[in-house]
Amino acid sequence: IDPERRIGYVRITSFEQVTPKQFDDVLSTLLNRQHMRGLVLDLRDNPGGLLDAVVAIANRFLADGPIVTIRYRSRQEQAYQANGDHTCPDFPLAILINRGSASASEILAGALRDRGRAELVGERSFGKGSVQELIDIPGIAGLDGAVKLTIAYYYLPQGQRIHGTGVTPDKEVSLTAEQQEAMNDSWRQVYITEGLPSVTRPTTDSAPQRRAIMIDPQLQAALNGVGEKLDASFRATK
């Protein structure tokens, strides 16, 4: 996305079973073929998905330590730890979030922020981090029912509960209604042209993707942040 400073861009639209493999393929291309030095990871309007998938993605950025903890009402909590499986180099990383980022996307953004691995840019996320269970209730005359109960909540490494509060960005950048609509139109053209995988990466021969990037002040702020870290690292090594 920034050839001069070699900053890559990846957008994850949902966390599905295939997402970690897709992400690894894209990341390998950016690192090994394009010699990426920094990354912007776009989780905006990502509604979530599979917990195992988001834990696998977090493992790409964390060698050890906590990712997320599930705290139950009536049984022992369950903690997910990074194990260093396929950890990528420690390059500058910015993550884009907005009000449409929920559940698994909030886990990834919040965990990498809490662990000091990423800077978050954009708007506060949705705040969806509960575990629910469906309990069948026998009825009368064959009319059975069910009730859905919240049995647990997700907690980030520094102890914040996601549900009801969301994840706050380090650098808040809001969009006007006109900017949001223009971005939505551009991304719709991207997906009409190229389909909708769960992981997308703009390429130099994609005009719709370039248009989506050019009118995106949140992405520009994230690029500036990654670029500043790269510049500071370059000055420190001189």
Side-chain angles (χ1 to χ4, degrees):
I1 192 172
D2 185 335
E4 182 177 351
R5 293 184 292 189
R6 299 205 301 273
I7 301 174
Y9 170 92
V10 176
R11 187 181 196 198
I12 301 180
T13 58
S14 62
F15 290 94
E16 304 166 9
Q17 186 174 1
V18 71
T19 304
K21 174 62 167 57
Q22 290 178 334
F23 184 77
D24 286 346
D25 291 344
V26 169
L27 200 61
S28 176
T29 298
L30 289 170
L31 287 169
N32 299 323
R33 297 184 186 178
Q34 300 183 16
H35 308 292
M36 181 181 72
R37 298 171 58 234
L39 175 66
V40 175
L41 181 59
D42 194 344
L43 301 181
R44 290 174 298 180
D45 297 317
N46 179 324
L50 299 176
L51 179 60
D52 287 346
V54 74
V55 168
I57 299 294
N59 261 306
R60 304 307 185 258
F61 298 101
L62 300 173
D64 53 29
I67 297 172
V68 66
T69 300
I70 306 175
R71 295 180 183 170
Y72 293 90
R73 289 179 180 272
S74 57
R75 64 177 188 259
Q76 186 175 3
E77 67 181 32
Q78 185 176 3
Y80 289 81
Q81 303 278 330
N83 57 22
D85 189 19
H86 304 300
T87 305
C88 62
D90 189 19
F91 46 69
L93 172 65
I95 298 179
L96 289 166
I97 58 173
N98 66 2
R99 288 166 289 182
S101 306
S103 190
S105 59
E106 296 177 283
I107 291 173
L108 181 59
L112 297 186
R113 177 204 63 188
D114 280 7
R115 298 292 310 282
R117 183 62 185 87
E119 179 181 57
L120 306 188
V121 179
E123 302 163 303
R124 185 164 65 176
S125 62
F126 184 79
K128 180 179 182 291
S130 63
V131 180
Q132 296 180 316
E133 184 175 68
L134 194 65
I135 300 175
D136 293 327
I137 300 176
I140 301 174
L143 298 176
D144 295 335
V147 61
K148 183 181 288 187
L149 295 178
T150 297
I151 61 170
Y153 292 104
Y154 292 106
Y155 287 81
L156 296 175
Q158 291 188 9
Q160 177 194 346
R161 192 180 83 175
I162 294 172
H163 197 76
T165 61
V167 177
T168 303
D170 303 294
K171 186 180 297 181
E172 188 162 355
V173 181
S174 298
L175 300 181
T176 66
E178 291 78 12
Q179 288 172 326
Q180 185 67 58
E181 184 58 30
M183 282 180 53
N184 291 344
D185 286 341
S186 293
W187 279 114
R188 277 193 288 269
Q189 290 302 313
V190 171
Y191 297 136
I192 289 170
T193 304
E194 303 180 10
L196 183 59
S198 65
V199 179
T200 61
R201 172 176 56 86
T203 56
T204 55
D205 59 353
S206 173
Q209 287 178 333
R210 289 201 302 273
R211 285 198 297 271
I213 292 164
M214 290 170 61
I215 58 175
D216 189 341
Q218 292 174 332
L219 176 54
Q220 291 297 329
L223 281 171
N224 290 340
V226 172
E228 289 169 3
K229 289 182 173 61
L230 289 172
D231 293 342
S233 176
F234 176 76
R235 288 193 297 268
T237 58
K238 290 185 66 176

